[in-house]
Amino acid sequence: MKYNSDIKMSIIVPVYNSENYITTCINSLLNQNLDNFEIILVDDGSTDNSRRICERYSEKNDEVILVTKENGGLCSARNLGIDTARGEYLLFIDNDDRLENGALEIIWKAITELKCDILRFNRKRVQIFEDGKEKEDIYGCIGVCSKGEKVVFSHDDFFANYRKVRTSGCFSGIWNGVFKRELFDNLRFDTSITAGGEDWLMNLDLYGKCKSVGFIPDVLYTYYRRMSHSVSTTFQDNRIFAIEKSANKEKILIEENNCSVDELLHSDIVYISQIIKIMMHPDSGLDTKDKVEILSKASKEPGLNLDNFDLRRARISFFEKIYLSLYKNKRYIFLIKISEAILKFRGNS
C-alpha cells in the first residue's frame, strides 16, 4: 500500500478472539478528534465474534479498514497492518487496550512542533488480577520530560542520553509511541517471536534508523494486563529466546553508536533479571538445575557474555557490580535466589 499524504496517521490493531474488549478499543479510536486518520483492524483468524464486530464497524465508518488473514500470530498481524497502512505515522494498539480522549490531537500537535521521527508518551498500566483486584501505575517518559514539557533528541543526543531513556519506561514498548511510516521500509516485526518481546526488537531497529525522538509527558494510552490469560505472565521458552535476541541486537546498537560499555552492562542486568523472572513463574515446571542450565546457555550469547569485561572499572552501582559478578562467575544459584527475593519484594509485576 502506498503512502497517502492526506492521511496523517494509521492506527494498527491486531485482532484475535477479543469479542469482550474490541468494542471498547475501537470506540476509543473513533472518539478521537483528529482529522484524516485511518484505523486498520487486522483479524488474525479469530474463532469468536471478533471478526463480525469488526465488519460492522468497517461497514459504518469510512476510516475503519478491515483486513483478514489466517491465524499467524501478533507479529504477522502487525506486519500486514504495516503493509496496508497509508498514513505518514503509525501507531499500534492492542485489541484490549484503549486510547485516551484527545490523544491523537495531542500527538499530532507534538509531532508538528518537534518534527520528530518517533514520539514517545506516557501510558497507564492497569493490572487486573484473577480475584478482580486492580493495580494501576503510570510510566513512560518519567525522568526524560516533566509535566508541560516537550523534549526532542537528535539521533546523537538520544544515544548520549541512552541510560536516561533506557530506564524511563518509554524505551521498549511499541504502544506508547508513534513512528514515521518510512522507518518501516524494509523493516517488519520478527515472526519467530511468538510469546512477547517482539516490541523490544522492533524498537532497537527503529532507534538505529531514526533521526530524532520526541518525548511528551501526557498519559495517552491505557494498557490492560489481565493476569489470568496474558501470554506475558506465563512461562515460555520463546520469551527467553526473544530476550537473547534483543540482548544481541542491543549490543550491536550500543557499539555502533559509540555508547559506553557501561550501557551494555546495565542492559544486561535488565535482560538477566527478566530471564530469571520468567523462570520464576509457577507454571514453568523448572527445577534449580533447569534454571542454571538456562542461565549458562544465555551467558554464551554475544550480548550476554561478560567474559571480557572488567567489572571493577565499570561505571555502574556497587550492587550492579555484585549482581553481574555472580553471573560472570557462574554463581547462578545465588544469583537466582537474590533475584527472586528482589522480584517478590517488588510484587513481581
Side-chain angles (χ1 to χ4, degrees):
M1 188 69 68
K2 292 184 178 180
Y3 163 69
N4 184 334
S5 59
D6 292 331
I7 298 176
K8 297 174 180 175
M9 202 174 306
S10 298
I11 304 173
I12 297 171
V13 189
V15 181
Y16 180 72
N17 288 358
S18 188
E19 62 183 5
N20 294 327
Y21 313 111
I22 188 60
T23 297
T24 298
C25 175
I26 298 173
N27 285 341
S28 79
L29 304 179
L30 290 172
N31 288 336
Q32 298 297 315
N33 51 0
L34 180 73
D35 295 329
N36 300 329
F37 71 95
E38 62 182 5
I39 302 167
I40 301 172
L41 306 176
V42 184
D43 181 72
D44 188 34
S46 294
T47 58
D48 64 358
N49 290 316
S50 296
R51 178 173 176 174
R52 285 187 286 274
I53 294 170
C54 292
E55 286 174 343
R56 290 198 292 269
Y57 275 102
S58 65
E59 290 167 359
K60 295 179 180 179
N61 300 275
D62 292 338
E63 61 266 59
V64 177
I65 299 168
L66 173 62
V67 291
T68 62
K69 60 185 289 295
E70 293 183 0
N71 180 253
L74 177 63
C75 290
S76 66
R78 284 180 177 160
N79 289 341
L80 180 55
I82 295 170
D83 294 340
T84 306
R86 299 171 295 168
E88 184 179 358
Y89 283 81
L90 305 185
L91 184 152
F92 299 89
I93 181 169
D94 282 357
N95 59 193
D96 56 347
D97 294 342
R98 65 181 176 87
L99 278 188
E100 297 298 320
N101 292 336
L104 293 188
E105 184 177 29
I106 292 171
I107 288 169
W108 191 254
K109 284 182 178 179
I111 289 172
T112 302
E113 178 182 341
L114 300 177
K115 296 179 173 57
C116 50
D117 289 350
I118 298 173
L119 180 75
R120 311 301 311 221
F121 45 82
N122 285 327
R123 67 173 176 174
K124 178 168 66 174
R125 176 176 62 178
V126 180
Q127 295 187 84
I128 303 174
F129 298 90
E130 293 187 53
D131 59 5
K133 293 182 179 179
E134 296 186 4
K135 177 183 176 182
E136 294 186 6
D137 56 18
I138 292 173
Y139 64 114
C141 302
I142 308 301
V144 180
C145 59
S146 304
K147 185 176 181 180
E149 181 185 21
K150 295 183 180 72
V151 173
V152 62
F153 289 152
S154 67
H155 183 90
D156 290 343
D157 288 339
F158 178 87
F159 287 98
N161 290 274
Y162 194 78
R163 180 76 62 89
K164 180 186 290 187
V165 180
R166 184 69 167 74
T167 58
S168 67
C170 65
F171 183 82
S172 59
I174 202 68
W175 315 276
N176 61 330
V178 290
F179 310 88
K180 186 168 280 189
R181 172 66 177 79
E182 64 188 38
L183 292 174
F184 291 88
D185 291 347
N186 302 315
L187 181 62
R188 293 296 184 270
F189 286 91
D190 187 339
T191 55
S192 71
I193 306 302
T194 60
E198 76 292 331
D199 47 349
W200 280 82
L201 286 165
M202 176 58 75
N203 273 290
L204 293 171
D205 282 327
L206 292 169
Y207 292 140
K209 293 180 68 174
C210 73
K211 296 178 181 177
S212 58
V213 185
F215 304 87
I216 58 176
D218 306 77
V219 181
L220 303 180
Y221 187 107
T222 297
Y223 156 52
Y224 293 96
R225 190 180 187 209
R226 295 173 174 87
M227 307 300 281
S228 60
H229 71 271
S230 172
V231 70
S232 64
T233 63
T234 57
F235 175 76
Q236 295 280 355
D237 290 338
N238 191 261
R239 291 183 63 215
I240 295 177
F241 170 69
I243 289 172
E244 292 170 347
K245 290 195 75 168
S246 295
N248 292 339
K249 182 166 288 189
E250 188 165 1
K251 179 179 186 293
I252 295 171
L253 185 71
I254 287 172
E255 292 174 346
E256 288 181 343
N257 289 278
N258 300 313
C259 288
S260 167
V261 67
D262 300 327
E263 302 309 326
L264 178 60
L265 295 174
H266 176 79
S267 68
D268 278 346
I269 291 174
V270 176
Y271 289 128
I272 295 164
S273 64
Q274 282 296 309
I275 290 173
I276 294 174
K277 181 178 178 180
I278 291 168
M279 296 190 302
M280 280 179 59
H281 195 277
D283 292 341
S284 72
L286 300 173
D287 58 23
T288 300
K289 181 181 178 181
D290 295 328
K291 295 175 183 179
V292 167
E293 288 180 353
I294 288 172
L295 286 176
S296 178
K297 175 181 173 296
S299 71
K300 296 177 176 61
E301 294 290 333
L304 293 169
N305 188 305
L306 303 184
D307 289 348
N308 296 322
F309 290 96
D310 185 353
L311 298 177
R312 295 170 298 176
R313 297 179 179 275
R315 294 183 178 181
I316 55 178
S317 71
F318 177 73
F319 174 78
E320 290 173 325
K321 289 181 181 181
I322 296 297
Y323 192 91
L324 290 180
S325 293
L326 291 173
Y327 173 77
K328 179 181 178 180
N329 293 310
K330 306 186 186 305
R331 301 290 299 278
Y332 297 133
I333 294 177
F334 195 29
L335 180 66
I336 290 169
K337 291 185 181 298
I338 290 177
S339 299
E340 290 177 345
I342 293 171
L343 289 169
K344 288 178 181 177
F345 177 77
R346 293 176 177 174
N348 194 26
S349 61

